[in-house]
Amino acid sequence: MSGLEEFVDQTVQIATNDGRIIVGMLKGFDQLTNVILDECHERVYSSTQGVDQVVLGLYIVRGDNIAIIGLIDEQKDSKINLSQLRAEPLKPVVH
Amino acid sequence: VTTTNALRMLFFSFFKTLVGKEIVVELKNDIAIRGTLQNIDQFLNIRLNDIHVIDDAKYPHLLSVKNCFIRGSVVRYVQLPAEHIDTELLQEATRREGQQNKK
């Protein structure tokens, strides 16, 4: 396995196929890339307003729907001013 | 089914030779990410280190991410360093696979 083991018990950011960004603590995963995220929230990006964070809780995200799992660098993340950030939401994945 | 499996193993083996090299992965949602190939698995899921998003002004979503895992199913293209690829070797290997498949 390419190794999601290294990401376990750390904060990760998941980009889903429908263009969402979900941030949470990676608790588990399997061969199909199904993932367990604890204390997660969705970051909603908008070109007109700052980033909105929606609290979600404990989630299982199905592997089919996952595009990227990124390991969050806490130092870098704390420097970002989310309320000032303007961006279009990610595009959905087209197969 | 055995035919496609053989070809998949070929690309898996090919990508393993590129571990440590810098590549650019373009995804099916149009994001392109440059990074060092850290690992690859049988599903061609890609682990990239020290990433840099191409056009990060348009895609600031990954600003806080240094290392990432990209699901194989979502990759559109992988841009490779030409100097590290033996295209003739690749051609030979795929030709061999193709001949095996015909049998």
Side-chain angles (χ1 to χ4, degrees):
Chain A
M1 254 310 287
S2 166
L4 275 174
E5 299 95 19
E6 319 169 35
F7 292 4
V8 171
D9 281 327
Q10 297 184 80
T11 307
V12 295
Q13 179 173 295
I14 298 197
T16 60
N17 284 6
D18 57 353
R20 282 191 251 224
I21 302 272
I22 302 186
V23 179
M25 183 155 300
L26 180 67
K27 284 319 227 174
F29 65 95
D30 66 5
Q31 279 275 338
L32 305 166
T33 333
N34 298 321
V35 147
I36 300 176
L37 275 190
D38 200 1
E39 294 176 357
C40 66
H41 59 270
E42 179 183 345
R43 287 188 183 170
V44 184
Y45 289 77
S46 155
S47 46
T48 52
Q49 303 172 320
V51 179
D52 184 26
Q53 304 203 73
V54 181
V55 174
L56 300 169
L58 179 60
Y59 260 43
I60 291 181
V61 185
R62 202 179 147 93
D64 297 348
N65 190 240
I66 292 177
I68 307 173
I69 301 176
L71 185 62
I72 291 218
D73 181 331
E74 306 279 3
Q75 263 199 332
K76 273 182 151 190
D77 201 47
S78 56
K79 289 194 184 131
I80 301 177
N81 188 341
L82 287 173
S83 57
Q84 297 296 326
L85 195 45
R86 303 280 184 278
E88 285 285 310
L90 283 183
K91 280 189 265 190
V93 167
V94 179
H95 288 284
Chain B
V1 176
T2 42
T3 57
T4 48
N5 276 351
L7 263 176
R8 273 198 212 131
M9 288 318 285
L10 188 157
F11 279 101
F12 171 46
S13 308
F14 167 67
F15 275 117
K16 278 202 287 189
T17 69
L18 292 177
V19 169
K21 304 287 185 296
E22 204 178 57
I23 60 175
V24 178
V25 183
E26 182 177 318
L27 283 73
K28 291 177 184 174
N29 57 7
D30 290 352
I31 283 196
I33 304 175
R34 180 195 305 278
T36 310
L37 181 62
Q38 164 78 2
N39 207 342
I40 185 114
D41 68 11
Q42 46 168 329
F43 305 110
L44 303 187
N45 295 325
I46 293 172
R47 272 277 286 109
L48 280 186
N49 276 2
D50 297 315
I51 66 165
H52 165 75
V53 176
I54 313 288
D55 200 356
D56 48 8
K58 189 171 176 193
Y59 301 112
H61 314 74
L62 290 170
L63 269 177
S64 4
V65 175
K66 226 179 82 147
N67 300 343
C68 71
F69 168 98
I70 300 173
R71 204 165 189 266
S73 56
V74 87
V75 174
R76 183 186 289 143
Y77 302 126
V78 179
Q79 294 168 28
L80 311 162
E83 59 275 13
H84 288 117
I85 316 259
D86 187 343
T87 44
E88 287 195 11
L89 203 61
L90 246 189
Q91 270 186 304
E92 254 312 298
T94 45
R95 203 173 296 136
R96 261 181 273 127
E97 292 296 334
Q99 284 170 350
Q100 279 180 20
N101 293 350
K102 276 191 189 157
K103 286 178 190 166

